[in-house]
Amino acid sequence: MPYLAKAKPNNYDLELEVGLRAASMRRPLRICNTNFKYMYWSSVQQLVHHAACGCAMNVGDLLGSGTISGPEKTQRGSLLEISWNGTEPIELEDGITRTFLEDGDSLVMRGWCQGDGYRVGFGEVEGTILPAE
């Protein structure tokens, strides 16, 4: 579609970081540091594609970006990619390794953008994997 043609880079420069903490750990270990600018489709392209296909967009609607992976190994955007489909375990601390999340593990996500003389943070979100009941 012509409206999906990318004339120039047009994604936001947003730093994104993910940390993983096993239940026995005090602090999370950073397992990913990537950037929204690596998205294949820009926010504008996503919005136009939805609208052009008949999806009614309203103020306050959210669009999910999906996995945000950069070109480097440290920028892999999902645990499946980070552990290379479970074949490259992540080394945490005290001999703890992970290829996939386990009960009691917590993920911490942070995001921010910055430029010359400023930094705007988007806060932090943390979630813990609970056992199935």
Side-chain angles (χ1 to χ4, degrees), residues 25-97:
M25 294 170 57
R26 297 180 87 165
R27 287 174 294 197
L29 174 72
R30 184 173 66 191
I31 61 171
C32 175
N33 188 32
T34 190
N35 193 300
F36 190 74
K37 67 185 176 186
Y38 298 126
M39 285 297 301
Y40 188 78
W41 301 110
S42 71
S43 299
V44 172
Q45 288 169 316
Q46 290 178 46
L47 177 62
V48 171
H49 188 62
H50 274 71
C53 293
C55 180
M57 301 301 296
N58 297 297
V59 173
D61 285 352
L62 297 175
L63 294 174
S65 65
T67 302
I68 303 173
S69 297
E72 305 297 324
K73 185 175 181 175
T74 59
Q75 297 170 326
R76 294 176 181 169
S78 74
L79 195 51
L80 187 65
E81 291 176 341
I82 293 168
S83 70
W84 209 243
N85 197 27
T87 63
E88 298 176 8
I90 298 170
E91 300 285 333
L92 299 173
E93 61 182 37
D94 297 329
I96 299 170
T97 62

